[in-house]
Amino acid sequence: MIADADTPKEIIDATVATVHGALVSEILERVTQLSPKDFESLVLKVLGAMQYGTAGHIESTGDSADAGIDGVISQDPLGLDRIYAQAKRYARDRTVGRPAMQAFVGALQGQQADRGVFIATCAFTREALDYADRVGVRIIPINGIELAELMLKHRVGVQTDYVATLLRLDEDFYDSL
């Protein structure tokens, strides 16, 4: 609720937070409707918007023979520094468990990779997260809510609807008169 003592900026901040919270849910609902291939494409677009692959390139590997890797991000033009991506579009009420995390680790090891990002539309189980923390490769798990928030932050799949400018008194102007 907005109190009488709130400043205009606090009111705007609270309103924006409310709108963004609702938009995160809308994004996640829409993302779960994508085909698995389109979801993999979306994940790579989000990682690109986050400035991964800017010096190199981002390659989709998602097909039936992808060996458990949906994308490869080359951080340098020669492809010496790579990040591997896994994208799972599951129903929001499902979870990514340890077996799926183990399969991704196995896929990374098959590529002799030391880092990867596992993005899902749902949550990860505690067992999956614990396993990811203990293995010899660095894995960053990103759940559905985190994905939607990253999409908002990096302006992927959203567009500006309304912009307002809040003005304030310029004391420096009056002091210089």
Side-chain angles (χ1 to χ4, degrees):
M1 280 282 130
I2 299 173
D4 291 332
D6 289 341
T7 67
K9 183 180 181 326
E10 291 170 334
I11 293 169
I12 291 170
D13 288 346
T15 303
V16 167
T18 300
V19 170
H20 280 191
L23 189 52
V24 162
S25 292
E26 286 181 55
I27 289 169
L28 197 48
E29 183 62 34
R30 182 64 177 94
V31 164
T32 58
Q33 296 171 9
L34 295 173
S35 72
K37 186 163 183 61
D38 287 344
F39 180 65
E40 292 170 7
S41 177
L42 169 71
V43 162
L44 296 178
K45 287 180 189 292
V46 171
L47 293 171
M50 294 172 65
Q51 303 299 307
Y52 287 99
T54 54
H57 69 282
I58 298 175
E59 173 187 356
S60 174
T61 60
D63 60 28
S64 60
D66 67 8
I69 302 293
D70 295 322
V72 181
I73 303 164
S74 296
Q75 288 296 96
D76 62 90
L78 296 177
L80 297 172
D81 189 15
R82 293 181 174 183
I83 300 170
Y84 293 80
Q86 174 66 275
K88 290 291 185 194
R89 183 197 51 86
Y90 290 154
R92 291 173 65 180
D93 61 347
R94 279 190 63 185
T95 56
V96 174
R98 181 178 168 150
M101 188 64 73
Q102 283 178 295
F104 184 49
V105 169
L108 291 174
Q109 290 172 337
Q111 298 292 322
Q112 297 180 341
D114 64 351
R115 68 190 80 164
V117 59
F118 194 135
I119 300 179
T121 52
C122 58
F124 292 85
T125 64
R126 173 57 38 209
E127 293 81 15
L129 295 173
D130 290 345
Y131 180 79
D133 282 341
R134 288 193 317 268
V135 294
V137 295
R138 180 162 166 94
I139 298 175
I140 303 298
I142 298 174
N143 66 36
I145 292 172
E146 293 166 330
L147 171 62
E149 289 171 347
L150 287 171
M151 290 174 66
L152 269 179
K153 179 178 181 180
H154 296 284
R155 303 290 191 256
V156 176
V158 296
Q159 58 184 312
T160 301
D161 184 37
Y162 181 79
V163 177
T165 303
L166 184 62
L167 301 175
R168 65 177 172 79
L169 192 65
D170 182 355
E171 290 294 342
D172 292 339
F173 170 81
Y174 293 101
D175 291 342
S176 68
L177 294 177

